[in-house]
Amino acid sequence: RERPAVAVERLDGVTRERFLRDIYPRRKPVVLTGLELGTCTTKWTIDYLSQAEGSKEVKIHVSAVPQMDFLSKNFVYRTLPFDVFVRRAAEVKHKEYFLTEDEKYYLRSVGKDVRKDIADIRKQFPTLAEDVHIPEYFEKEQFFSSVFRISSAGLQLWTHYDVMDNFLIQVTGKKRVVLYSPRDAPYLYLSGTKSEVLDVDNPDLEKYPLFVKAKRYQCVLEAGDVLFIPALWFHNVISEEFGVALNVFWKHLPAESYDKTDTYGNKDPMAASRAIQILDRALKTLEELPEEYRDFYARRMVLRIQEKAYRNDYG
C-alpha cells in the first residue's frame, strides 16, 4: 500500500534573509505565501491577458487526454495567436479545436531560437512582465530563466526533475503538486529526467510495484502562492483550474557545472554526464566476463558506489 502523502510546509511572509538562512539549506520543498508579486495576481484576467500581448503567435502543446506524457509524446504541437490561445485554454468545451472538443492546452514559453535562447518573460512577454515582481531570493548572476506557463483545467504534466532550483509562482488558478525526494529515484521508473509513472494517484502497481515505496509530498497552490522546488526533486503538476504561472530557475551550483547547451534547465551537470558515460563503459567491460562473474563484480561495484557516494544523513 502507498504511504499517506506528507503535506508540504506552508510559510507566510518569509523574507529573503530568512529564506537563505533557515529554508534554503534544508533542500526541501516549501510553499511561501503572502509574498509581494506585483499587480499580476489581480490584473491577469482572461480579457486582460488576451489583449495585453495581442495576436503574436505562440507554440503550444495540445492533448486529447488530460495526462500528458513526454515519453510517449501523446500530444501535438500547434501554433495559435496568443489571444485566441488564452480564450481557448480557458474553455472546457471547444467550438474550434485541433483534436477533440475537450482537448487540453499547455503553453510553456520558449526563447526566440528554441535551441539557443532561454525563456525569459521580459523578452517574450514584455507587457505582462511589467506586472510581475519576481521574489529575488538569489543573486542576479544566478538567474537562469523565467518560464511563463498557461494550462487548461484538468491538465496533468508528467513527473520529472530539473537540475536547477526554482520557484513555481502560481499567479492565477489552482494547482496540485505532488513531489518526490531525489532519494526515491530508484522507485520512480526513470527514463532520463522523467518518470514512466504517469498516473501518480492510481499507479499501475503490477507494472510499477516499487512505486509504493516512494514517499509522496503534496501541496495545493492557490493564486499568489510560491512553491520552492529544490533541484533534483521530482514533481508532478495537476492544474485543477485554468491558470497562469511563472517558473523562475536559478543556478545553485557554480555556472561552469552546467551544460552550456541547456536551454530548459534539465540537462544533467557536466560531471554527472561524464560519470554516467564512464559507468556505461565499465558495464560494457564487464560483458567480457561469464555471467556469474559479471553478476558478482556488478554487485561489488554497486557496494562501492553506495560506500563512496551515498549520503547517510538524509532525514
Side-chain angles (χ1 to χ4, degrees), residues 5-67:
V6 177
V8 174
E9 190 178 9
R10 295 177 68 87
L11 296 171
D12 190 58
V14 171
T15 60
R16 183 182 197 267
E17 293 67 32
R18 187 181 163 207
F19 178 76
L20 292 174
R21 185 189 68 227
D22 301 337
I23 298 162
Y24 200 47
R26 288 177 9 207
R27 313 297 300 152
K28 283 199 166 173
V30 63
V31 178
L32 306 173
T33 63
L35 298 187
E36 180 44 62
L37 300 174
T39 55
C40 55
T41 48
T42 49
K43 218 169 163 182
W44 284 6
T45 60
I46 293 159
D47 286 341
Y48 175 77
L49 285 169
S50 49
Q51 58 87 28
E53 296 285 351
S55 59
K56 73 160 103 193
E57 301 234 297
V58 286
K59 191 177 182 187
I60 53 169
H61 301 63
V62 183
S63 173
V65 294
Q67 277 170 342

Side-chain angles (χ1 to χ4, degrees), residues 231-285:
L232 310 183
W233 272 76
F234 295 87
H235 44 288
N236 179 290
V237 180
I238 301 111
S239 295
E240 300 203 332
E241 301 168 350
F242 164 79
V244 184
L246 184 66
N247 247 152
V248 184
F249 291 87
W250 68 92
K251 296 173 181 176
H252 168 57
L253 306 175
E256 61 275 12
S257 307
Y258 298 100
D259 187 325
K260 298 273 184 292
T261 66
D262 188 4
T263 52
Y264 287 90
N266 60 7
K267 286 192 178 176
D268 291 316
M270 303 291 278
S273 297
R274 287 200 307 276
I276 288 165
Q277 285 168 358
I278 293 164
L279 177 63
D280 285 342
R281 287 205 297 277
L283 292 169
K284 193 110 189 80
T285 310

Side-chain angles (χ1 to χ4, degrees), residues 149-162:
R149 301 180 191 270
I150 296 183
S151 308
S152 292
L155 182 79
Q156 182 170 10
L157 289 179
W158 53 89
T159 306
H160 68 285
Y161 71 87
D162 300 292

Side-chain angles (χ1 to χ4, degrees), residues 182-252:
R183 202 177 191 194
D184 282 344
Y187 315 131
L188 297 180
Y189 298 87
L190 296 187
S191 176
T193 60
K194 299 158 190 76
S195 166
E196 289 178 22
V197 186
L198 277 189
D199 191 341
V200 293
D201 296 320
N202 297 291
D204 179 343
L205 294 179
E206 278 189 15
K207 198 173 179 187
Y208 307 116
L210 294 177
F211 187 69
V212 289
K213 293 187 171 191
K215 185 176 180 181
R216 172 187 176 123
Y217 294 78
Q218 189 168 295
C219 60
V220 172
L221 300 182
E222 306 276 357
D225 288 348
V226 177
L227 172 61
F228 167 52
I229 307 176
L232 310 183
W233 272 76
F234 295 87
H235 44 288
N236 179 290
V237 180
I238 301 111
S239 295
E240 300 203 332
E241 301 168 350
F242 164 79
V244 184
L246 184 66
N247 247 152
V248 184
F249 291 87
W250 68 92
K251 296 173 181 176
H252 168 57

Side-chain angles (χ1 to χ4, degrees), residues 280-291 293-294:
D280 285 342
R281 287 205 297 277
L283 292 169
K284 193 110 189 80
T285 310
L286 279 188
E287 286 173 18
E288 296 169 20
L289 293 167
E291 191 181 21
Y293 281 78
R294 198 164 65 227

